[in-house]
Amino acid sequence: MEQPDWNTLSPARMWRDWIAKSEAQWSEAVSQMLKNEHTGEAMNRQLNEMQLLHRQFSELAQASLATANLPSRNDFEALDERMGRLEDGLAQVAAELSRLVQALAVSGGNANADQIVNTSRPTRNRKPASDLIQTRG
């Protein structure tokens, strides 16, 4: 008696073959359907209507959020982009400051890094706008 070929009876292989045949059949069916001019036009109209509905829903959602004084997705995306630019700028300033400290240390300056980089907050020397209005009157 001859032994069966276990490779052809493998469930994984049978599954893979079934998937490949199914994809080919679906591809052929969809290709035939799209070759029909009426089907293509109907699908095009349906996609255009879906895009219009999505755009209208997005505008309605943004208007509702604006009415409630809440940020929209676009607001968060703009804020994220702005924060990214600020972080990049801050990283550049930190890198330049580090290079400056190293250059001063190499040049033999007597000041150490703590003296070069002043971490205290600047004094507030500007009056609030409300105080300025009262003093002008």
Side-chain angles (χ1 to χ4, degrees):
M1 187 151 124
E2 190 175 318
Q3 291 286 332
D5 184 11
W6 294 108
N7 288 332
T8 58
L9 297 176
S10 167
R13 182 182 179 127
M14 290 170 47
W15 178 260
R16 188 177 62 237
D17 292 344
W18 179 79
I19 291 289
K21 288 177 185 176
S22 295
E23 285 178 353
Q25 289 172 348
W26 273 102
S27 177
E28 180 64 29
V30 169
S31 294
Q32 290 298 324
M33 195 170 48
L34 290 177
K35 285 180 184 177
N36 185 346
E37 190 174 309
H38 298 294
T39 305
E41 289 174 5
M43 289 179 69
N44 190 26
R45 275 194 312 271
Q46 188 176 19
L47 284 173
N48 287 338
E49 289 173 3
M50 290 171 64
Q51 287 176 339
L52 177 65
L53 284 172
H54 182 265
R55 201 169 30 249
Q56 288 175 342
F57 178 76
S58 296
E59 289 171 3
L60 178 65
Q62 281 188 334
S64 299
L65 289 170
T67 301
N69 200 24
L70 294 172
S72 68
R73 179 184 179 112
N74 291 340
D75 294 334
F76 279 113
E77 288 174 350
L79 182 62
D80 182 49
E81 183 179 329
R82 186 173 178 193
M83 289 296 294
R85 287 194 310 265
L86 286 172
E87 288 172 350
D88 292 344
L90 185 60
Q92 289 175 351
V93 168
E96 288 296 321
L97 183 62
S98 176
R99 281 191 218 115
L100 178 62
V101 168
Q102 289 175 355
L104 286 173
V106 168
S107 68
N110 293 334
N112 62 19
D114 291 335
Q115 292 172 337
I116 295 170
V117 181
N118 185 6
T119 57
S120 64
R121 298 187 77 166
T123 59
R124 183 174 178 160
N125 55 6
R126 183 174 165 193
K127 292 184 179 180
S130 61
D131 291 345
L132 291 174
I133 292 170
Q134 291 174 357
T135 57
R136 289 184 185 172

